[in-house]
Amino acid sequence: MSGNLSLRQELFFIDKINQLIEGDGKGNKLTGSKYQCIEVRTIEMDMKVDLDSESKLDRSPAFITSLLARGQEQADEFLRSLPVHVQ
């Protein structure tokens, strides 16, 4: 849970800096900055079955292996979807 919180905070701050760089629509803009907008792409964990609350406590090797395999499939799909110049 704490790892997820840290990630969410980092994504929030990246988004906030991007907003400052682009401007707020009222003429306020971060100028003369060394910062550039950052595009963050995410992969939502999409399991082929619904994960219930008990799955959070499941530490069985078979379950963990299935999570890793599905994550690998999704990562491969994600990488294939990127423009060639990004890869």
Coordinates of all heavy atoms in Angstrom, one line a residue:
M1 N 0.8 -1.2 0.0 CA 0.0 0.0 0.0 C 0.9 1.3 0.0 O 0.6 2.2 -0.7 CB -0.9 0.0 1.2 CG -1.9 1.1 1.2 SD -3.1 0.9 -0.1 CE -4.6 1.0 0.9
S2 N 1.9 1.3 0.8 CA 2.7 2.5 0.9 C 3.5 2.7 -0.5 O 3.6 3.9 -0.9 CB 3.7 2.4 2.0 OG 4.6 1.3 1.8
G3 N 3.8 1.7 -1.2 CA 4.4 1.8 -2.5 C 3.5 2.5 -3.5 O 3.9 3.4 -4.3
N4 N 2.2 2.1 -3.4 CA 1.2 2.7 -4.3 C 1.0 4.2 -3.9 O 0.8 5.0 -4.8 CB -0.1 1.9 -4.1 CG -1.1 2.3 -5.2 OD1 -0.8 2.7 -6.3 ND2 -2.4 2.1 -4.8
L5 N 1.0 4.5 -2.6 CA 0.9 5.9 -2.2 C 2.0 6.7 -2.8 O 1.8 7.8 -3.3 CB 0.8 6.0 -0.7 CG 0.7 7.4 -0.1 CD1 -0.6 8.1 -0.6 CD2 0.7 7.3 1.4
S6 N 3.2 6.3 -2.7 CA 4.4 7.0 -3.2 C 4.3 7.2 -4.7 O 4.6 8.3 -5.2 CB 5.7 6.2 -2.8 OG 5.9 6.1 -1.5
L7 N 3.9 6.2 -5.4 CA 3.7 6.3 -6.8 C 2.7 7.3 -7.2 O 2.9 8.2 -8.0 CB 3.3 4.9 -7.4 CG 3.0 4.9 -8.9 CD1 4.1 5.3 -9.7 CD2 2.4 3.6 -9.3
R8 N 1.5 7.3 -6.5 CA 0.5 8.3 -6.7 C 0.9 9.7 -6.5 O 0.6 10.6 -7.2 CB -0.8 8.0 -5.9 CG -1.4 6.7 -6.2 CD -2.2 6.8 -7.5 NE -2.7 5.5 -7.9 CZ -3.0 5.1 -9.1 NH1 -2.9 6.0 -10.1 NH2 -3.5 3.9 -9.3
Q9 N 1.7 9.9 -5.4 CA 2.2 11.2 -5.1 C 3.2 11.7 -6.2 O 3.1 12.8 -6.6 CB 3.0 11.2 -3.8 CG 2.0 11.1 -2.6 CD 2.8 11.0 -1.3 OE1 3.9 10.6 -1.2 NE2 2.1 11.5 -0.2
E10 N 4.1 10.8 -6.7 CA 5.0 11.2 -7.7 C 4.2 11.5 -9.0 O 4.6 12.5 -9.7 CB 6.0 10.0 -8.0 CG 7.0 9.8 -6.9 CD 7.9 11.0 -6.7 OE1 8.3 11.6 -7.7 OE2 8.3 11.2 -5.6
L11 N 3.2 10.7 -9.4 CA 2.4 11.0 -10.6 C 1.7 12.4 -10.4 O 1.6 13.1 -11.4 CB 1.4 9.9 -10.8 CG 2.1 8.6 -11.3 CD1 1.0 7.5 -11.4 CD2 2.8 8.7 -12.6
F12 N 1.2 12.7 -9.2 CA 0.5 13.9 -9.0 C 1.5 15.1 -9.2 O 1.2 16.1 -9.8 CB 0.0 14.0 -7.5 CG -0.5 15.3 -7.1 CD1 -1.8 15.7 -7.5 CD2 0.3 16.2 -6.4 CE1 -2.2 17.0 -7.1 CE2 -0.2 17.5 -6.0 CZ -1.4 17.9 -6.4
F13 N 2.7 15.0 -8.7 CA 3.7 16.1 -8.8 C 4.1 16.2 -10.3 O 4.4 17.4 -10.7 CB 4.9 15.9 -7.9 CG 4.5 16.1 -6.4 CD1 4.7 15.2 -5.5 CD2 4.0 17.4 -6.0 CE1 4.3 15.4 -4.2 CE2 3.7 17.6 -4.7 CZ 3.8 16.6 -3.8
I14 N 4.3 15.2 -11.0 CA 4.6 15.3 -12.4 C 3.5 16.0 -13.2 O 3.8 16.9 -14.0 CB 4.9 13.9 -13.0 CG1 6.2 13.3 -12.5 CG2 4.9 13.9 -14.6 CD1 6.4 11.8 -12.8
D15 N 2.3 15.6 -12.9 CA 1.1 16.3 -13.5 C 1.1 17.8 -13.1 O 0.8 18.6 -14.0 CB -0.2 15.6 -13.1 CG -1.4 16.1 -13.8 OD1 -1.3 16.2 -15.1 OD2 -2.4 16.4 -13.1
K16 N 1.4 18.1 -11.9 CA 1.4 19.5 -11.4 C 2.4 20.3 -12.2 O 2.2 21.4 -12.6 CB 1.6 19.6 -9.9 CG 1.5 20.9 -9.3 CD 0.2 21.6 -9.7 CE -1.0 21.1 -8.8 NZ -2.2 21.8 -9.0
I17 N 3.7 19.8 -12.3 CA 4.7 20.5 -13.0 C 4.3 20.6 -14.5 O 4.6 21.7 -15.1 CB 6.1 19.7 -12.9 CG1 6.6 19.8 -11.4 CG2 7.1 20.3 -13.8 CD1 6.9 21.2 -10.9
N18 N 3.8 19.6 -15.1 CA 3.3 19.7 -16.5 C 2.3 20.8 -16.6 O 2.4 21.6 -17.6 CB 2.7 18.4 -17.0 CG 3.8 17.3 -17.3 OD1 5.0 17.6 -17.4 ND2 3.3 16.1 -17.4
Q19 N 1.4 21.0 -15.7 CA 0.4 22.0 -15.7 C 1.1 23.4 -15.6 O 0.7 24.3 -16.3 CB -0.6 21.9 -14.6 CG -1.6 20.7 -14.8 CD -2.5 20.5 -13.6 OE1 -2.6 21.4 -12.7 NE2 -3.1 19.4 -13.5
L20 N 2.1 23.5 -14.7 CA 2.8 24.8 -14.6 C 3.5 25.2 -15.9 O 3.6 26.3 -16.3 CB 3.7 24.7 -13.4 CG 3.1 24.7 -12.0 CD1 4.1 24.4 -11.0 CD2 2.3 26.0 -11.7
I21 N 4.1 24.2 -16.5 CA 4.9 24.4 -17.7 C 3.9 24.8 -18.9 O 4.2 25.8 -19.6 CB 5.7 23.1 -18.1 CG1 6.8 22.9 -17.1 CG2 6.2 23.3 -19.6 CD1 7.4 21.5 -17.3
E22 N 2.8 24.2 -19.0 CA 1.9 24.5 -20.0 C 1.1 25.7 -19.8 O 0.5 26.3 -20.7 CB 0.9 23.3 -20.2 CG 1.6 22.0 -20.8 CD 0.7 20.8 -20.8 OE1 -0.4 20.9 -20.2 OE2 1.1 19.8 -21.3
G23 N 0.9 26.1 -18.5 CA 0.2 27.3 -18.2 C -1.2 26.9 -17.7 O -1.7 25.8 -18.0
D24 N -1.8 27.8 -16.9 CA -3.1 27.5 -16.3 C -4.3 28.1 -17.1 O -5.4 28.0 -16.6 CB -3.2 27.9 -14.9 CG -3.0 29.4 -14.7 OD1 -2.9 30.1 -15.8 OD2 -2.9 29.9 -13.6
G25 N -4.0 28.6 -18.3 CA -5.1 29.2 -19.1 C -5.4 30.6 -18.7 O -6.2 31.3 -19.3
K26 N -4.8 31.1 -17.7 CA -5.0 32.5 -17.2 C -3.7 33.3 -17.4 O -3.5 34.4 -16.7 CB -5.4 32.5 -15.7 CG -6.6 31.7 -15.4 CD -6.9 31.7 -13.9 CE -8.0 30.8 -13.6 NZ -8.2 30.5 -12.2
G27 N -2.8 32.9 -18.2 CA -1.6 33.6 -18.5 C -0.5 33.2 -17.5 O 0.7 33.7 -17.7
N28 N -0.7 32.4 -16.6 CA 0.3 32.0 -15.6 C 1.0 30.8 -16.2 O 0.4 29.8 -16.6 CB -0.3 31.6 -14.3 CG -1.0 32.8 -13.6 OD1 -0.5 33.9 -13.7 ND2 -2.1 32.5 -13.0
K29 N 2.3 30.9 -16.4 CA 3.1 29.8 -17.0 C 4.5 29.8 -16.4 O 5.0 30.9 -16.1 CB 3.1 30.1 -18.5 CG 3.7 28.9 -19.3 CD 3.5 29.2 -20.8 CE 4.1 28.0 -21.6 NZ 3.9 28.2 -23.0
L30 N 5.0 28.7 -16.2 CA 6.4 28.5 -15.7 C 7.3 28.8 -16.9 O 7.4 28.0 -17.8 CB 6.6 27.1 -15.2 CG 7.9 26.8 -14.5 CD1 8.1 27.7 -13.2 CD2 8.0 25.3 -14.1
T31 N 8.0 30.0 -16.9 CA 8.8 30.4 -18.0 C 10.3 30.3 -17.6 O 10.6 30.5 -16.4 CB 8.5 31.8 -18.5 OG1 8.6 32.7 -17.5 CG2 7.1 31.8 -19.1
G32 N 11.1 30.2 -18.6 CA 12.6 30.2 -18.3 C 13.0 29.0 -17.5 O 14.0 29.1 -16.8
S33 N 12.3 27.9 -17.6 CA 12.5 26.8 -16.8 C 13.3 25.7 -17.6 O 13.2 25.6 -18.8 CB 11.2 26.2 -16.3 OG 11.4 24.9 -15.7
K34 N 14.1 25.0 -16.9 CA 14.8 23.9 -17.5 C 13.9 22.6 -17.7 O 14.3 21.6 -18.3 CB 16.1 23.5 -16.8 CG 15.8 23.0 -15.3 CD 17.0 22.7 -14.6 CE 16.7 22.3 -13.2 NZ 17.8 22.0 -12.4
Y35 N 12.7 22.7 -17.1 CA 11.8 21.6 -17.1 C 11.1 21.4 -18.4 O 10.8 22.4 -19.1 CB 10.8 21.7 -16.0 CG 11.4 21.7 -14.6 CD1 11.4 22.8 -13.9 CD2 12.0 20.5 -14.1 CE1 12.0 22.8 -12.6 CE2 12.6 20.5 -12.8 CZ 12.6 21.7 -12.1 OH 13.2 21.7 -10.9
Q36 N 10.8 20.2 -18.8 CA 10.0 19.9 -20.0 C 8.8 19.0 -19.5 O 8.9 18.3 -18.5 CB 10.8 19.1 -21.0 CG 12.0 19.9 -21.5 CD 12.8 19.0 -22.5 OE1 12.3 18.0 -23.0 NE2 14.0 19.5 -22.8
C37 N 7.7 19.0 -20.2 CA 6.6 18.2 -19.9 C 7.0 16.7 -20.1 O 7.7 16.4 -21.0 CB 5.4 18.5 -20.8 SG 4.5 20.0 -20.4
I38 N 6.5 15.9 -19.2 CA 6.7 14.5 -19.2 C 5.4 13.8 -19.4 O 4.4 14.1 -18.8 CB 7.3 14.1 -17.8 CG1 8.7 14.7 -17.6 CG2 7.4 12.5 -17.7 CD1 9.2 14.5 -16.2
E39 N 5.5 12.9 -20.3 CA 4.3 12.0 -20.6 C 4.5 10.7 -19.8 O 5.5 10.0 -20.0 CB 4.1 11.7 -22.1 CG 2.9 10.9 -22.4 CD 2.7 10.6 -23.8 OE1 3.5 11.1 -24.7 OE2 1.8 9.8 -24.2
V40 N 3.6 10.4 -19.0 CA 3.6 9.1 -18.2 C 2.6 8.2 -18.8 O 1.4 8.5 -18.8 CB 3.4 9.4 -16.7 CG1 3.4 8.1 -16.0 CG2 4.4 10.3 -16.1
R41 N 3.0 7.1 -19.2 CA 2.1 6.1 -19.7 C 1.9 5.0 -18.6 O 2.9 4.6 -18.0 CB 2.6 5.4 -21.0 CG 2.7 6.4 -22.1 CD 3.3 5.7 -23.3 NE 3.4 6.6 -24.5 CZ 4.6 7.2 -24.9 NH1 5.7 6.9 -24.2 NH2 4.6 8.0 -25.9
T42 N 0.7 4.5 -18.4 CA 0.5 3.5 -17.4 C -0.2 2.3 -18.0 O -0.8 2.3 -19.1 CB -0.5 4.1 -16.3 OG1 -1.7 4.4 -16.9 CG2 0.1 5.3 -15.6
I43 N 0.0 1.2 -17.3 CA -0.7 -0.1 -17.7 C -1.6 -0.4 -16.5 O -1.1 -0.6 -15.4 CB 0.4 -1.2 -17.9 CG1 1.4 -0.8 -19.0 CG2 -0.3 -2.5 -18.3 CD1 2.5 -1.7 -19.1
E44 N -2.8 -0.5 -16.8 CA -3.8 -1.0 -15.8 C -3.7 -2.5 -15.7 O -3.7 -3.2 -16.8 CB -5.2 -0.6 -16.1 CG -5.4 0.9 -16.0 CD -5.3 1.5 -14.6 OE1 -5.7 0.8 -13.7 OE2 -4.8 2.6 -14.5
M45 N -3.7 -3.1 -14.5 CA -3.7 -4.5 -14.4 C -5.1 -5.1 -14.8 O -6.0 -4.8 -14.1 CB -3.3 -4.9 -13.0 CG -3.1 -6.4 -12.8 SD -1.8 -7.0 -13.8 CE -1.6 -8.6 -13.3
D46 N -5.1 -5.7 -15.9 CA -6.3 -6.2 -16.4 C -6.3 -7.8 -16.4 O -5.7 -8.4 -17.2 CB -6.5 -5.7 -17.9 CG -7.7 -6.3 -18.6 OD1 -8.6 -6.8 -17.9 OD2 -7.7 -6.3 -19.8
M47 N -6.9 -8.3 -15.3 CA -6.9 -9.8 -15.2 C -8.1 -10.3 -16.0 O -9.1 -9.6 -16.1 CB -7.0 -10.2 -13.7 CG -5.8 -9.9 -12.9 SD -4.3 -10.7 -13.5 CE -4.6 -12.4 -13.1
K48 N -8.0 -11.5 -16.4 CA -9.1 -12.1 -17.2 C -10.2 -12.6 -16.3 O -11.3 -12.9 -16.7 CB -8.6 -13.2 -18.1 CG -7.7 -12.6 -19.1 CD -7.1 -13.7 -20.0 CE -6.2 -13.0 -21.1 NZ -5.6 -13.9 -22.0
V49 N -9.9 -12.6 -15.0 CA -11.0 -12.9 -14.0 C -10.9 -11.8 -12.9 O -10.0 -11.1 -12.7 CB -10.7 -14.2 -13.3 CG1 -10.7 -15.4 -14.2 CG2 -9.3 -14.2 -12.6
D50 N -12.1 -11.6 -12.2 CA -12.1 -10.6 -11.2 C -11.3 -11.0 -10.0 O -11.4 -12.2 -9.6 CB -13.6 -10.3 -10.8 CG -14.4 -9.6 -11.8 OD1 -13.7 -8.8 -12.6 OD2 -15.6 -9.8 -11.9
L51 N -10.5 -10.1 -9.5 CA -9.8 -10.3 -8.2 C -10.6 -9.9 -7.1 O -11.0 -8.7 -7.0 CB -8.5 -9.6 -8.3 CG -7.5 -10.0 -9.4 CD1 -6.3 -9.1 -9.3 CD2 -7.1 -11.4 -9.3
D52 N -10.9 -10.8 -6.2 CA -11.7 -10.5 -5.0 C -10.8 -10.1 -3.8 O -9.5 -10.0 -4.0 CB -12.6 -11.7 -4.6 CG -11.8 -12.9 -4.4 OD1 -10.6 -12.9 -4.2 OD2 -12.4 -14.0 -4.3
S53 N -11.3 -9.7 -2.7 CA -10.5 -9.2 -1.6 C -9.6 -10.3 -1.0 O -8.5 -10.0 -0.5 CB -11.4 -8.7 -0.5 OG -12.3 -9.7 0.0
E54 N -10.0 -11.6 -1.2 CA -9.1 -12.7 -0.7 C -7.9 -12.8 -1.5 O -6.8 -13.3 -1.0 CB -9.9 -14.0 -0.7 CG -10.9 -14.2 0.4 CD -12.3 -13.6 -0.1 OE1 -12.6 -13.6 -1.3 OE2 -13.0 -13.1 0.8
S55 N -7.9 -12.3 -2.8 CA -6.7 -12.4 -3.6 C -5.6 -11.6 -3.1 O -4.4 -11.9 -3.4 CB -7.1 -12.1 -5.1 OG -7.4 -10.7 -5.1
K56 N -5.9 -10.6 -2.3 CA -4.8 -9.7 -1.7 C -3.9 -10.5 -0.8 O -2.8 -10.2 -0.5 CB -5.4 -8.5 -1.0 CG -6.1 -7.6 -2.0 CD -6.7 -6.4 -1.2 CE -7.4 -5.5 -2.2 NZ -7.9 -4.3 -1.6
L57 N -4.5 -11.6 -0.2 CA -3.8 -12.4 0.8 C -3.2 -13.7 0.2 O -2.5 -14.4 0.9 CB -4.7 -12.7 1.9 CG -5.3 -11.5 2.7 CD1 -6.3 -12.0 3.7 CD2 -4.2 -10.7 3.3
D58 N -3.5 -13.9 -1.1 CA -3.1 -15.2 -1.7 C -1.6 -15.1 -2.1 O -1.2 -14.3 -3.0 CB -4.0 -15.4 -3.0 CG -3.7 -16.8 -3.6 OD1 -2.8 -17.5 -3.2 OD2 -4.5 -17.2 -4.5
R59 N -0.8 -15.9 -1.5 CA 0.6 -15.9 -1.7 C 1.0 -17.2 -2.4 O 2.2 -17.6 -2.4 CB 1.4 -15.8 -0.4 CG 1.1 -14.5 0.3 CD 1.6 -13.3 -0.4 NE 1.5 -12.0 0.4 CZ 0.5 -11.2 0.2 NH1 -0.4 -11.4 -0.7 NH2 0.5 -10.1 1.0
S60 N 0.1 -18.0 -3.0 CA 0.4 -19.3 -3.6 C 1.3 -19.0 -4.8 O 1.1 -18.1 -5.6 CB -0.8 -20.0 -3.9 OG -1.5 -19.4 -5.0
P61 N 2.2 -19.9 -5.0 CA 3.1 -19.8 -6.2 C 2.3 -19.8 -7.5 O 2.6 -19.0 -8.4 CB 4.0 -21.0 -6.2 CG 4.1 -21.4 -4.7 CD 2.7 -21.0 -4.2
A62 N 1.2 -20.6 -7.6 CA 0.4 -20.6 -8.9 C -0.2 -19.2 -9.1 O -0.2 -18.7 -10.3 CB -0.6 -21.7 -8.8
F63 N -0.8 -18.6 -8.1 CA -1.4 -17.3 -8.2 C -0.4 -16.2 -8.6 O -0.6 -15.4 -9.5 CB -2.1 -16.9 -6.9 CG -2.8 -15.6 -7.0 CD1 -3.9 -15.4 -7.9 CD2 -2.4 -14.5 -6.3 CE1 -4.6 -14.2 -8.0 CE2 -3.1 -13.3 -6.3 CZ -4.1 -13.2 -7.2
I64 N 0.7 -16.2 -7.9 CA 1.8 -15.2 -8.2 C 2.3 -15.4 -9.6 O 2.5 -14.5 -10.4 CB 2.9 -15.3 -7.2 CG1 2.3 -14.8 -5.8 CG2 4.1 -14.4 -7.6 CD1 3.2 -14.9 -4.7
T65 N 2.5 -16.7 -10.1 CA 2.9 -16.9 -11.4 C 1.9 -16.4 -12.4 O 2.3 -15.9 -13.5 CB 3.2 -18.5 -11.6 OG1 4.2 -18.9 -10.7 CG2 3.6 -18.8 -13.0
S66 N 0.6 -16.6 -12.2 CA -0.4 -16.2 -13.1 C -0.4 -14.6 -13.2 O -0.6 -14.1 -14.2 CB -1.8 -16.7 -12.7 OG -2.3 -16.0 -11.5
L67 N -0.2 -13.9 -12.0 CA -0.1 -12.5 -12.1 C 1.1 -12.0 -12.9 O 1.0 -11.1 -13.7 CB 0.0 -11.9 -10.6 CG -1.2 -12.0 -9.7 CD1 -0.8 -11.5 -8.3 CD2 -2.4 -11.2 -10.3
L68 N 2.2 -12.7 -12.7 CA 3.4 -12.3 -13.4 C 3.3 -12.5 -14.9 O 3.7 -11.7 -15.8 CB 4.7 -13.1 -12.9 CG 5.1 -12.7 -11.5 CD1 6.2 -13.7 -11.0 CD2 5.7 -11.3 -11.5
A69 N 2.7 -13.7 -15.3 CA 2.4 -14.0 -16.7 C 1.5 -12.9 -17.3 O 1.8 -12.5 -18.5 CB 1.9 -15.4 -16.8
R70 N 0.4 -12.6 -16.6 CA -0.5 -11.6 -17.2 C 0.2 -10.2 -17.3 O 0.0 -9.5 -18.3 CB -1.8 -11.5 -16.3 CG -2.8 -10.5 -16.9 CD -3.3 -11.0 -18.2 NE -4.2 -10.0 -18.8 CZ -4.2 -9.6 -20.0 NH1 -3.4 -10.1 -20.9 NH2 -5.0 -8.7 -20.4
G71 N 1.0 -9.9 -16.3 CA 1.7 -8.6 -16.4 C 2.7 -8.6 -17.6 O 2.8 -7.6 -18.2
Q72 N 3.3 -9.7 -17.8 CA 4.3 -9.8 -19.0 C 3.5 -9.7 -20.3 O 3.9 -8.9 -21.2 CB 5.0 -11.1 -19.0 CG 6.0 -11.3 -20.1 CD 7.2 -10.3 -19.9 OE1 7.8 -10.2 -18.9 NE2 7.4 -9.5 -21.0
E73 N 2.3 -10.3 -20.4 CA 1.5 -10.1 -21.6 C 1.1 -8.7 -21.8 O 1.2 -8.2 -22.9 CB 0.2 -11.0 -21.5 CG 0.4 -12.5 -21.5 CD -0.9 -13.2 -21.2 OE1 -2.0 -12.6 -21.2 OE2 -0.8 -14.4 -20.9
Q74 N 0.7 -8.0 -20.7 CA 0.3 -6.6 -20.9 C 1.4 -5.7 -21.2 O 1.3 -4.8 -22.0 CB -0.4 -6.2 -19.6 CG -1.8 -6.8 -19.5 CD -2.6 -6.2 -18.3 OE1 -2.4 -6.6 -17.2 NE2 -3.5 -5.3 -18.6
A75 N 2.6 -6.0 -20.6 CA 3.8 -5.2 -20.9 C 4.2 -5.4 -22.4 O 4.5 -4.4 -23.1 CB 5.0 -5.6 -20.0
D76 N 4.1 -6.6 -22.9 CA 4.4 -6.8 -24.3 C 3.4 -6.1 -25.2 O 3.8 -5.4 -26.2 CB 4.4 -8.3 -24.7 CG 5.5 -9.1 -24.0 OD1 6.5 -8.5 -23.6 OD2 5.4 -10.3 -23.9
E77 N 2.1 -6.1 -24.9 CA 1.1 -5.4 -25.7 C 1.4 -3.9 -25.6 O 1.3 -3.2 -26.6 CB -0.3 -5.6 -25.1 CG -0.8 -7.0 -25.3 CD -2.1 -7.3 -24.6 OE1 -2.8 -6.3 -24.2 OE2 -2.4 -8.5 -24.3
F78 N 1.7 -3.4 -24.4 CA 2.0 -2.0 -24.2 C 3.2 -1.5 -25.1 O 3.2 -0.5 -25.8 CB 2.3 -1.7 -22.8 CG 2.7 -0.3 -22.5 CD1 1.8 0.7 -22.3 CD2 4.1 0.0 -22.2 CE1 2.2 2.0 -22.0 CE2 4.5 1.3 -22.0 CZ 3.5 2.3 -21.8
L79 N 4.3 -2.3 -25.1 CA 5.5 -1.9 -25.8 C 5.2 -2.0 -27.3 O 5.7 -1.2 -28.1 CB 6.7 -2.9 -25.5 CG 7.2 -2.6 -24.0 CD1 8.2 -3.7 -23.7 CD2 7.8 -1.2 -23.9
R80 N 4.4 -3.0 -27.8 CA 4.1 -3.0 -29.2 C 3.2 -1.8 -29.6 O 3.3 -1.4 -30.8 CB 3.3 -4.3 -29.5 CG 4.2 -5.5 -29.6 CD 3.5 -6.7 -30.3 NE 2.4 -7.2 -29.4 CZ 2.4 -8.0 -28.4 NH1 3.6 -8.6 -28.1 NH2 1.4 -8.3 -27.7
S81 N 2.5 -1.3 -28.7 CA 1.6 -0.1 -29.1 C 2.3 1.2 -29.2 O 1.8 2.2 -29.7 CB 0.5 0.0 -28.1 OG 0.9 0.5 -26.8
L82 N 3.6 1.3 -28.7 CA 4.3 2.5 -28.7 C 4.8 2.9 -30.1 O 5.1 2.0 -30.9 CB 5.6 2.4 -27.8 CG 5.3 2.3 -26.3 CD1 6.6 2.1 -25.6 CD2 4.6 3.6 -25.8
P83 N 4.9 4.2 -30.4 CA 5.4 4.6 -31.7 C 6.9 4.1 -31.8 O 7.6 4.0 -30.8 CB 5.4 6.1 -31.6 CG 4.4 6.4 -30.6 CD 4.4 5.3 -29.6
V84 N 7.3 3.8 -33.0 CA 8.6 3.2 -33.2 C 9.8 4.1 -32.6 O 10.7 3.6 -32.0 CB 8.9 2.9 -34.7 CG1 10.3 2.4 -34.9 CG2 7.9 1.9 -35.2
H85 N 9.6 5.4 -32.7 CA 10.7 6.3 -32.2 C 10.8 6.3 -30.7 O 11.8 6.7 -30.2 CB 10.5 7.7 -32.8 CG 9.3 8.4 -32.2 ND1 8.1 8.2 -32.7 CD2 9.2 9.3 -31.2 CE1 7.2 9.0 -32.0 NE2 7.9 9.6 -31.0
V86 N 9.8 5.8 -30.0 CA 9.8 5.8 -28.5 C 10.6 4.5 -28.0 O 11.2 4.6 -27.0 CB 8.4 5.9 -27.9 CG1 8.4 5.7 -26.4 CG2 7.8 7.2 -28.3
Q87 N 10.5 3.5 -28.7 CA 11.0 2.2 -28.3 C 12.5 2.2 -28.3 O 13.4 2.4 -28.4 CB 10.5 1.0 -29.1 CG 9.0 0.9 -29.0 CD 8.5 -0.2 -29.9 OE1 9.2 -0.9 -30.6 NE2 7.2 -0.3 -29.9

